[in-house]
Each structure stands twice: as C-alpha cells, then as structure tokens.
Amino acid sequence: PQPNTSALPAPRTILNTGRSGGFTKISSLTGGSGTNIFTLRGSGNLSGTLTGGSGTNTLVANNVTNTWTVNASNAGSLAGVNGVGSFVSIQNLNGGTGADTFNFSGAGAISGSVNGGGGAGVNTLSYAALTSPVNITLSGSGSNSGFAGSATGGTSGSFNNINVLNGSTTGVSTLTASNSANTWTISGSNAGTLAATNSLAFTSFKN
C-alpha cells in the first residue's frame, strides 16, 4: 500500500508518539506554505518522507545519538532510534542533547543552519563526501559548545555548536579561524585541533 501523507498548516510541532489528540500510523508528512517546525520527541519517528513545504522549515531531532545525511539541496535523511526516512525542503537542522553527526555528500547543502544542539554530546560536521571542496570560516564559539561559522564553495549555510569538522576529500578545502587568539596544533596530514575559548578537531583541510 502507498504510505499515508498528511498535509499540515503552519507552524506545526509534531511527532510525539503516545499523546492523546495527536496522530498515529502516518508515515509521511507535508507542511504548509508558512514556517514549519517538525520536532521529534518521545518515541516519535517517521518511516516515509517529511516535506517541509514552500516556507522556511526546521527539523529538530530528539535528545539521542543522531546521524544526519544531507545529499541534495535541503534534503536528506535522519538515522537513529527517532529517525526520518527522508526529508525535503528543510532549511534548518537542529540536533538534540546527544551526539549529532551531520554527513554531507554529493551536492548536499543546507541553505539555513546546522545546529549541533545543547548537552554534552560531541557534534560532528563532515563534508568529506562532497564532490567539491568547501571553504569554512569560523565566527567564534558556539552558543553551547564547539564553534559556529559558515560554509561556501561546495556547499552553503551556517553552523553552530560543532566540535569536529571534516573538510571535503575532493580538491582543496580551506579553514579560516575567527579574529581572536587561536592556538593551532597540526597532528596529522591536513588535520589537527584549534583551541580558542572552545576547541575544535579538524581533518581534510589543506589550507
């Protein structure tokens, strides 16, 4: 049978299994034309496709270990106990308090922001599988941990609360620190750490 698809008005916060007045056995969701916020809580998950609609949309992960894949413009998937089979038209990705890993591949890009979230989890932003190099500019410390900054070149968008940063293995990726006191340690081939107020581990940056 075809998966069920629900069209929702915006804004909307969803995917909290077990609450009265909610919904069950809906495997795909489509947001409206406004701002949509999709939040995974409890044992909530979605096996089908989450479509953000034509507005500016955000997917917020649960407070568990999450692995995100971004393999097209504002599109990809979220793996984990509270996962999403696939998502499209999602401009912002927000992790939870656990460890979040964001893997960009192919021509993957997020036009808004990637936020590792709060908590003690170590958050990784990896551009290793992009088909072109990426240029990263750090703007300073993250709001909770790690660093914030922006990406240009093979991808786009901003990021926050990132502790580990992997450049593209294609071409020459560049990492530029913020205008503060920085201590660089080069401990491997195109890899090392950057220490300022917070610390960042990095790999696959030739410049």
Side-chain angles (χ1 to χ4, degrees):
Q2 293 297 315
N4 298 313
T5 301
S6 174
L8 303 175
R12 182 70 66 182
T13 300
I14 57 169
L15 303 186
N16 191 350
T17 296
R19 282 191 173 179
S20 60
F23 58 86
T24 62
K25 298 182 180 179
I26 301 295
S27 59
S28 293
L29 296 168
T30 301
S33 59
T35 298
N36 296 277
I37 302 173
F38 302 93
T39 303
L40 291 152
R41 287 295 178 261
S43 58
N45 64 84
L46 202 68
S47 60
T49 300
L50 179 63
T51 303
S54 58
T56 299
N57 309 298
T58 301
L59 176 57
V60 183
N62 206 346
N63 295 323
V64 295
T65 299
N66 300 294
T67 300
W68 307 72
T69 298
V70 180
N71 52 20
S73 178
N74 299 321
S77 61
L78 171 59
V81 118
N82 304 105
V84 173
S86 64
F87 60 82
V88 296
S89 298
I90 300 293
Q91 290 80 17
N92 302 299
L93 306 179
N94 290 1
T97 57
D100 285 87
T101 299
F102 302 88
N103 294 317
F104 284 66
S105 63
I110 291 294
S111 61
S113 66
V114 171
N115 190 333
V122 174
N123 303 310
T124 300
L125 179 55
S126 178
Y127 299 108
L130 283 179
T131 53
S132 56
V134 63
N135 302 313
I136 301 296
T137 301
L138 301 177
S139 58
S141 297
S143 58
N144 179 72
S145 68
F147 280 80
S150 59
T152 60
T155 187
S156 62
S158 63
F159 58 85
N160 190 13
N161 298 319
I162 295 300
N163 310 100
V164 179
L165 190 57
N166 300 326
S168 174
T169 57
T170 300
V172 178
S173 291
T174 300
L175 176 59
T176 303
S178 60
N179 294 324
S180 60
N182 301 295
T183 300
W184 300 81
T185 300
I186 309 303
S187 56
S189 178
N190 304 317
T193 59
L194 168 64
T197 303
N198 294 332
S199 62
L200 177 77
F202 63 88
T203 64
S204 299
F205 285 96
K206 296 180 180 180
N207 289 335

